[in-house]
Amino acid sequence: MKFNFKTFPTLKTERLLIRQASFNDIKAVFELRSCEETNKFVATKKVQNFDEAKDFIVICDKLYKEENRIFWLIQYKNKVIGSIVLHRISLKVNYAEIGYKLKPAFQQKGFMSEALKEVLKFAFQKINLKIIEAFTHKNNIASIALLEKHNFIFQPERTDIGFEHNQIFKLVEN
C-alpha cells in the first residue's frame, strides 16, 4: 500500500525513535539549527531564536501536508540528538533529497547510520521512491563516508548551483 501522507510516520530502530517535531521540541530544534558545530558544513539559514525554531516546525508541517517534506527528529533515550529529512519529495518522479544533522556529542557512534538505514527503507518501500540524492559539503568527510556506506554514488559530473562546495551523491533503488 502506498504511503498517503495522512498520518505522520514514526520510525523505530534498535536504539532510536525517529518522530515528528512538535511545539514541545522548539528548544531542541533551536539547538540543532543554531549550533555552529552542527551546521559548519550546511548552507541552511541558522535559526536565531525560539520563534524561528517554532516557525521552522510550522513550515515542516505545512510541507508535509503538501507531500513535499518529511522532517523527523532523532531521539535517543528520550533526548533529541539530531534530525533527518526527506525534502523536495516528488511523487510524480519518485524522487527526494535527504539531509541530516546530529549533535556533536552523538557523532561517530553509529546513530546517523542507524537512522539513515531506517529512513531509506521507509522511502523506498513505503513512499516508493526510486532516487534519493544527498548534497554534502566536499570537506564533510563523515557525511561522505556515511553516504558511501549506504551505497550512495558520487556524481562528479554534477554541480550544486550556488553551492559549488557541495558534492552530489545519488542512491537509486535496485
Side-chain angles (χ1 to χ4, degrees):
M1 188 176 100
K2 196 168 191 290
F3 182 70
N4 63 14
F5 285 86
K6 297 292 181 251
T7 305
F8 194 92
T10 299
L11 310 176
K12 289 184 173 118
T13 69
E14 190 179 318
R15 301 181 293 173
L16 305 173
L17 178 65
I18 305 167
R19 63 165 180 84
Q20 185 173 21
S22 76
F23 289 150
N24 295 331
D25 299 306
I26 290 171
K27 183 176 186 278
V29 168
F30 172 77
E31 289 170 356
L32 273 173
R33 299 193 66 84
S34 66
C35 172
E36 204 62 49
E37 179 64 20
T38 305
N39 293 283
K40 69 180 174 188
F41 292 119
V42 185
T44 53
K45 182 182 174 290
K46 291 180 188 55
V47 296
Q48 304 298 315
N49 52 50
F50 285 177
D51 285 341
E52 287 186 12
K54 181 181 179 185
D55 291 346
F56 177 78
I57 293 170
V58 169
I59 289 166
C60 287
D61 190 50
K62 176 181 175 289
L63 290 171
Y64 175 78
K65 288 178 176 136
E66 294 171 2
E67 302 182 352
N68 186 261
R69 177 185 292 173
I70 307 174
F71 175 83
W72 289 276
L73 291 177
I74 302 168
Q75 189 173 304
Y76 172 67
K77 294 185 176 177
N78 295 317
K79 181 176 173 56
V80 172
I81 64 168
S83 64
I84 189 163
V85 61
L86 289 171
H87 61 118
R88 296 196 176 118
I89 297 171
S90 169
L91 300 176
K92 202 173 284 172
V93 294
N94 302 94
Y95 170 89
E97 292 174 16
I98 196 160
Y100 38 80
K101 294 181 183 204
L102 196 60
K103 290 182 177 180
F106 297 92
Q107 294 174 1
Q108 304 298 318
K109 294 174 173 46
F111 290 117
M112 193 52 76
S113 188
E114 197 173 312
L116 183 62
K117 181 180 177 187
E118 196 63 26
V119 168
L120 291 174
K121 185 171 99 177
F122 174 81
F124 288 129
Q125 294 177 3
K126 303 290 187 206
I127 310 179
N128 299 319
L129 296 181
K130 300 294 179 219
I131 297 171
I132 298 176
E133 290 187 325
F135 295 69
T136 195
H137 194 286
K138 65 184 179 190
N139 297 333
N140 193 341
I141 306 307
S143 180
I144 292 168
L146 176 72
L147 293 169
E148 289 175 342
K149 176 181 180 180
H150 290 274
N151 302 313
F152 280 77
I153 306 296
F154 175 47
Q155 307 292 297
E157 73 288 352
R158 294 188 49 215
T159 345
D160 188 2
I161 308 294
F163 302 95
E164 282 71 23
H165 54 271
N166 275 354
Q167 293 182 335
I168 302 171
F169 288 78
K170 182 177 184 175
L171 181 63
V172 178
E173 187 201 31
N174 44 4

